């Protein structure tokens, strides 16, 4: 299906979430928005009204009549008019704020459709905003992230991307690269005369600068990914170490079933937790035994191993009262992402065991030390990096394009070392520009290169 089909239509949709609210909004966008709104709005004639104005009135069905033969009354509303291009989509937009009952909103939507609008497809408003130059692709994607954000860090990353921080960074890189592409391609036109417009030393500098910045953006993806998808945490420990109890303490509610019988937490349950605005996904695992004869338990151990493998952070929970202190051997490779937690310290006598300094002592049952553990989890996952105002890449598509761009930059650098000619270099430069353009949706590289050449050198004067 053509993604651009039906672009000239006026679209309508309920813009507020499903469910009952005090108010709900139907949004119309397109050339006929105001015309269509006038067919169902009883109040002032909207066609004559200025942009960014609000009008009180009633919505009626454009065709159906009531018993008295008058147009069927649907709701008392407030209508806001935004005339393009000063609107979210860049087109004429009408927002009808009605009473927030799903039934009423559906009736208003139906009335709009009968009056000439069509149902909007998912993301169509933002797509139009992009096509009308109100947002670039990275920003459009940020809108989707912002709508889906459920933690402060997610919201921060999406907002920053929306404000253009990310696109701004990339835009600067792109301009510099276009500049050099223009100079190098210009040389090709004068190839008989053996001139070099593009200073190779400056170009070399630009390329290493670009590589450093792209590599920074690539690194930020790990953090960005964490923000977007949450930090996965595996709680691992022997049966009865207190894993379920710790899970409850972390979540502050009685979610998992706690039991005295060793090995009762057999199902893997996933719960989310918000620490300082960062989302953590807790995976409760089955009890761990290195050797077992119990069929179900061994499935549990296999699952624990898989969880440990894929988790960003492992909480290794041990019971300080347990005389058996044999370490879990298969956890050794994951030492870097493991936080050792000593549980049941409420049972320790003052003369009790020496507690290892890097471990965190808690009592899951009495909710002691749990806040310190949360802080440690936060530090381990994001540390101080999250506070930086730098651009964060949260999108796999961007990551892919940046990786490809990095490959092209490496090829350019390699080519320069081997003193490749301009025509060969320009292939890799164009490739790098292409991937950069893929992120922001500006891929008309040719036109830009030409624009720079003519703008700067006035060839053909
Ligand atoms: P799991 O098998 O690792 O999930 O362990 P549970 O969370 O089911 O806990 C096993 C037993 O240890 C239960 O009786 C808990 O009440 C108890 N327990 C858990 N944490 C603590 C603690 O901090 N102090 C004490 N005294 N008992 C605890």
């Amino acid at each position: 299906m053509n993604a651009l089909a039906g672009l000239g239509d006026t679209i309508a949709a309920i813009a507020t979430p499903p469910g009952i609210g005090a108010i709900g909004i139907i949004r119309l966008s397109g050339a006929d928005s105001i015309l269509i709104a006038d067919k169902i709005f009883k109040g002032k004639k909207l066609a004559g009204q200025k942009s960014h104005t609000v009008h009180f009135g009633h919505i009626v069905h454009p065709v159906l009549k009531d018993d008295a033969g008058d147009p069927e009354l649907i709701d008392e509303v407030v209508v806001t008019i935004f005339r393009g291009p000063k609107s979210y989509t860049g087109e004429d937009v009408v927002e009808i704020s009605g009473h927030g009952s799903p039934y009423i909103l559906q009736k208003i939507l139906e009335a709009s459709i009968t009056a000439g609008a069509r149902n909007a497809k998912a993301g169509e408003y933002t797509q139009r905003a992009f096509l009308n130059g109100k947002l670039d692709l990275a920003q459009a994607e940020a809108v989707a992230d912002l709508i889906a954000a459920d933690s402060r860090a997610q919201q921060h990353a999406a907002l920053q991307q929306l404000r253009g921080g990310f696109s701004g960074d990339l835009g600067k890189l792109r301009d510099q690269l276009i500049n050099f592409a223009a100079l190098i391609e210009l040389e090709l036109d004068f190839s008989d005369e053996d001139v070099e417009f593009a200073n190779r030393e400056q170009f070399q500098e630009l390329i290493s600068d670009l590589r450093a910045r792209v590599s920074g953006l690539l690194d930020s993806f790990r953090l960005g990914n964490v923000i977007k998808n949450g930090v996965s945490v595996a709680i691992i420990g022997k049966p009865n170490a207190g894993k379920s109890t710790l899970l409850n303490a972390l979540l502050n509610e009685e979610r998992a079933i706690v039991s005295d019988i060793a090995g009762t937490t057999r199902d893997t349950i996933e719960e989310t937790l918000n620490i300082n605005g960062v989302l953590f996904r807790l995976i409760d695992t089955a009890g761990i035994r290195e050797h077992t004869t119990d069929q179900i338990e061994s499935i549990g151990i296999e699952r624990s191993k898989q969880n440990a493998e894929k988790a960003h952070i492992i909480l290794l929970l041990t019971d300080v009262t347990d005389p058996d202190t044999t370490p879990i051997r298969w956890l050794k490779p994951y030492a870097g992402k493991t936080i050792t937690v000593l549980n049941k310290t409420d049972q320790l006598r003052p003369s009790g065991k020496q507690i290892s300094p890097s471990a965190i002592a808690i009592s899951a049952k009495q909710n002691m030390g749990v806040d310190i553990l949360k802080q440690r989890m936060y530090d381990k996952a994001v540390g101080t990096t999250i506070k930086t105002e730098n651009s964060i890449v949260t999108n796999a598509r961007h990551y892919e394009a940046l990786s490809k761009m990095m490959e092209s930059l490496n090829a350019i650098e390699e080519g320069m070392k081997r003193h490749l000619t301009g025509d060969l270099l320009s292939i890799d430069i164009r490739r790098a520009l292409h991937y950069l353009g893929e992120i922001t949706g500006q891929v008309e590289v040719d036109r830009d290169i030409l624009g720079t050449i003519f703008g700067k050198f006035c060839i053909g004067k």
Side-chain angles (χ1 to χ4, degrees):
M1 199 185 75
N2 182 358
L4 300 181
L7 207 59
D9 300 347
T10 292
I11 51 175
I14 301 173
T16 39
I20 297 173
I23 51 172
I25 295 175
I26 280 84
R27 181 158 62 172
L28 299 173
S29 179
D32 293 337
S33 296
I34 297 173
L35 201 79
I36 289 169
D38 259 333
K39 287 188 193 164
I40 58 171
F41 181 71
K42 287 276 157 291
K44 274 183 222 156
K45 193 162 169 54
L46 299 171
Q49 307 300 324
K50 286 202 182 104
S51 184
H52 295 72
T53 53
V54 179
H55 309 277
F56 172 79
H58 293 88
I59 294 293
V60 294
H61 198 281
V63 181
L64 298 179
K65 306 278 184 231
D66 63 15
D67 294 343
D70 295 321
E72 188 188 277
L73 186 65
I74 299 175
D75 195 12
E76 193 174 274
V77 298
V78 158
V79 166
T80 315
I81 298 173
F82 304 90
R83 291 184 186 270
K86 286 191 168 175
S87 70
Y88 177 67
T89 55
E91 307 171 326
D92 283 354
V93 167
V94 175
E95 286 184 3
I96 304 169
S97 305
H99 291 93
S101 119
Y103 175 75
I104 290 176
L105 294 178
Q106 192 57 39
K107 292 289 278 187
I108 299 177
L109 180 61
E110 277 168 24
S112 312
I113 305 292
T114 311
R118 76 160 162 79
N119 277 303
K121 289 177 283 197
E124 210 173 359
Y125 292 93
T126 306
Q127 186 193 44
R128 288 182 175 202
F130 163 65
L131 291 171
N132 289 322
K134 303 293 279 190
L135 301 167
D136 66 30
L137 262 192
Q139 289 174 318
E141 283 164 325
V143 172
D145 287 349
L146 199 55
I147 292 170
D150 56 8
S151 76
R152 186 160 50 83
Q154 265 180 4
Q155 182 209 16
H156 179 86
L159 262 182
Q160 212 240 336
Q161 193 168 324
L162 185 60
R163 283 201 312 260
F166 184 63
S167 304
D169 267 14
L170 295 178
K172 270 182 234 146
L173 298 181
R174 198 164 163 273
D175 287 348
Q176 289 171 305
L177 206 54
I178 286 177
N179 206 15
F180 267 97
L183 290 168
I184 284 181
E185 298 203 359
L186 193 66
E187 288 172 7
L188 303 181
D189 293 340
F190 293 86
S191 54
D192 298 341
E193 295 159 41
D194 193 27
V195 289
E196 267 193 10
F197 290 116
N199 179 318
R200 291 298 189 270
E201 245 164 62
Q202 279 177 9
F203 188 52
Q204 185 94 50
E205 251 169 57
L206 172 68
I207 295 300
S208 53
D209 193 29
L210 282 170
R211 286 181 72 237
R213 286 163 79 176
V214 171
S215 124
L217 285 171
L218 286 173
D219 284 348
S220 80
F221 180 70
R222 197 190 68 87
L223 177 65
N225 207 28
V226 156
I227 291 171
K228 198 167 166 183
N229 301 323
V231 185
S232 53
V233 181
I235 304 176
I236 288 177
K238 286 196 256 177
N240 261 347
K243 297 181 294 299
S244 309
T245 314
L246 173 62
L247 181 74
N248 289 339
L250 284 170
L251 296 171
N252 255 330
E253 56 194 329
E254 297 280 320
R255 197 65 71 75
I257 304 152
V258 183
S259 146
D260 271 334
I261 309 154
T264 41
T265 319
R266 279 179 174 146
D267 283 320
T268 299
I269 310 163
E270 202 168 286
E271 299 275 5
T272 57
L273 168 71
N274 185 324
I275 305 176
N276 301 338
V278 174
L279 195 73
F280 287 78
R281 291 186 292 109
L282 294 169
I283 307 159
D284 189 13
T285 62
I288 294 158
R289 281 192 206 118
E290 291 249 80
H291 305 286
T292 178
T293 47
D294 181 330
Q295 186 75 40
I296 304 172
E297 268 304 311
S298 52
I299 294 170
I301 290 172
E302 211 29 64
R303 210 185 277 172
S304 288
K305 286 184 178 173
Q306 283 168 13
N307 287 337
E309 167 87 41
K310 68 175 187 230
H312 292 109
I313 291 180
I314 297 169
L315 299 185
L316 172 57
L317 195 63
T318 52
D319 177 347
V320 282
T321 65
D322 184 357
D324 175 15
T325 54
T326 345
I328 300 170
R329 265 179 284 122
W330 59 263
L331 268 177
K332 214 163 174 242
Y334 310 118
K337 60 179 182 184
T338 300
I339 299 175
T340 306
V341 185
L342 304 176
N343 191 29
K344 307 194 188 180
T345 50
D346 56 299
Q347 301 280 61
L348 273 191
R349 305 223 167 85
S351 59
K353 287 186 195 172
Q354 180 79 36
I355 290 175
S356 136
S358 64
I360 293 187
I362 66 161
S363 166
K365 199 173 182 177
Q366 301 193 356
N367 210 346
M368 283 173 353
V370 177
D371 282 341
I372 297 171
L373 174 61
K374 284 186 182 174
Q375 187 59 43
R376 178 74 70 90
M377 287 162 68
Y378 176 85
D379 290 345
K380 197 153 190 92
V382 289
T384 49
T385 6
I386 205 163
K387 295 190 194 79
T388 65
E389 290 298 315
N390 293 336
S391 295
I392 294 169
V393 179
T394 57
N395 184 299
R397 191 177 69 80
H398 297 168
Y399 182 76
E400 209 122 290
L402 283 168
S403 307
K404 296 228 175 86
M405 171 158 181
M406 194 60 159
E407 283 171 24
S408 311
L409 289 175
N410 290 340
I412 295 170
E413 190 143 81
E414 188 57 29
M416 303 257 294
K417 268 189 209 139
R418 302 203 335 253
H419 301 287
L420 280 192
T421 50
D423 50 344
L424 291 174
L425 276 183
S426 75
I427 294 171
D428 286 320
I429 300 176
R430 274 172 178 268
R431 192 171 290 148
L433 277 171
H434 172 82
Y435 290 123
L436 204 47
E438 262 192 4
I439 296 175
T440 52
Q442 312 155 295
V443 277
E444 289 157 318
V445 175
D446 280 358
R447 202 190 58 195
D448 288 349
I449 290 184
L450 290 178
T452 309
I453 290 178
F454 289 121
K456 284 204 160 178
F457 294 93
C458 309
I459 287 174
K461 180 171 67 173

